Amino acid sequence: MSVILQVKNLQKTYGKGASRTEALRGISFDVLEGEFLGVMGPSGSGKTTLLNCIATIVRPTSGTVILKGEELSSFREKALADYRGRKIGCLFQEFELLDNLTAGENIALPLSLHGISEKQAESKIKEIAGRLDIEEVLDKFPSQMSGGQKQRAAAARALISDPDILLADEPTGALDSRNARNLMEKLADENRDQGKTIVMVTHDPNAASFCSRILFIQDGCLFHELRRDVHRESNAAFYDRIAAVTAQLGGGSANVL
């Protein structure tokens, strides 16, 4: 597999003088095409800042982020808009669906912004809705949907443009355990069956057990890395290894955000 994302010596500092905070302290790693990478660490460790730098929501103080050979810092306004609209998909904890649009209309938003015809959009919406098991809610508004349905609709919206990489920030954080597992199974299917590259920040060892590799961050630095033998190691066995590392990070898994 080839490298799709490179993070090189990434640093992010907030404030000055006595209020200066180093959120990221020279983090470097690569992500392979088709990989399902999890990022874990204690609250304030810098993992969401890291994800936001990759998403170009936050500009790093120094260091580089390279997607498919293109350095993000070199992008100007139009190229950045294209990157955010076509190259990456973003999945958030709180769904971020528009209340006045149906699930189908929410999913179609990225396509309409890029001039995809209604006929093409309808076909793509049906396909992604089938994969994520939300066909029955396409005509419903968010207020008429369960939390699990809303998050799967949000995932469909993030995936509809076939982005190079999906960035997920605590995607199970607002879900109960059953819906969280359902979502993770669907994301794992997208990774395995569609070859989708996923980078996910999570506090939940159960969600993390679906990943093929976990990076643990502490105080803005890489602390540890776990790789799963996806052909031989079960989710339960990988969960146990994840829980052991989170305990070393301090406070047990309840504090690993």
Side-chain angles (χ1 to χ4, degrees):
M1 290 189 290
S2 59
V3 173
I4 188 172
L5 179 73
Q6 296 171 282
V7 175
K8 296 184 176 182
N9 197 29
L10 207 64
Q11 301 185 48
K12 179 61 182 177
T13 302
Y14 295 100
K16 296 181 180 179
S19 62
R20 186 173 183 268
T21 301
E22 292 181 284
L24 299 175
R25 303 183 182 189
I27 286 183
S28 299
F29 61 92
D30 292 342
V31 180
L32 298 178
E33 192 166 7
E35 189 171 20
F36 194 162
L37 177 69
V39 180
M40 302 184 78
S43 180
S45 61
K47 61 198 177 304
T48 295
T49 298
L50 170 63
L51 202 70
N52 286 341
C53 286
I54 298 171
T56 69
I57 295 170
V58 169
R59 183 181 291 274
T61 304
S62 63
T64 56
V65 178
I66 300 169
L67 182 72
K68 283 192 160 182
E70 294 186 285
E71 189 176 332
L72 303 192
S73 63
S74 68
F75 289 177
R76 296 296 175 258
E77 191 171 331
K78 187 177 184 304
L80 266 180
D82 184 66
Y83 172 77
R84 292 169 180 152
R86 298 178 188 271
K87 305 288 188 182
I88 61 169
C90 292
L91 183 59
F92 306 99
Q93 179 175 334
E94 296 296 338
F95 320 133
E96 306 295 343
L97 297 174
L98 297 179
D99 292 334
N100 61 334
L101 298 181
T102 65
E105 290 167 340
N106 269 286
I107 295 167
L109 267 178
L111 300 180
S112 62
L113 292 173
H114 293 286
I116 304 297
S117 73
E118 190 174 331
K119 188 173 183 179
Q120 284 179 298
E122 186 176 339
S123 173
K124 289 177 73 69
I125 291 166
K126 285 183 178 178
E127 180 190 357
I128 191 72
R131 297 205 310 256
L132 295 177
D133 195 22
I134 50 171
E135 302 102 317
E136 75 279 8
V137 301
L138 288 178
D139 293 324
K140 293 184 178 181
F141 293 95
S143 61
Q144 301 170 309
M145 297 155 59
S146 70
Q149 290 168 334
K150 284 189 276 193
Q151 191 61 306
R152 278 178 279 139
R157 181 186 57 191
L159 292 164
I160 192 72
S161 295
D162 194 25
D164 292 328
I165 190 166
L166 175 67
L167 304 177
D169 190 2
E170 302 281 9
T172 63
L175 303 178
D176 60 37
S177 59
R178 182 177 64 85
N179 279 306
R181 183 172 185 84
N182 192 359
L183 175 70
M184 291 311 304
E185 288 173 347
K186 297 300 183 186
L187 292 181
D189 288 346
E190 290 295 306
N191 170 250
R192 182 187 64 250
D193 300 336
Q194 307 299 321
K196 188 57 58 186
T197 306
I198 304 174
V199 177
M200 177 181 70
V201 163
T202 183
H203 72 281
D204 182 3
N206 283 301
S209 71
F210 285 86
C211 297
S212 54
R213 180 165 61 114
I214 308 288
L215 297 179
F216 295 88
I217 297 178
Q218 186 173 48
D219 299 327
C221 301
L222 289 182
F223 170 79
H224 193 66
E225 176 180 325
L226 285 180
R227 292 177 182 269
R228 177 185 173 196
D229 185 338
V230 294
H231 300 296
R232 297 181 182 179
E233 188 173 22
S234 67
N235 284 52
F238 196 40
Y239 171 93
D240 289 340
R241 292 206 287 140
I242 293 166
V245 177
T246 59
Q248 292 178 42
L249 280 164
S253 61
N255 281 344
V256 177
L257 304 175

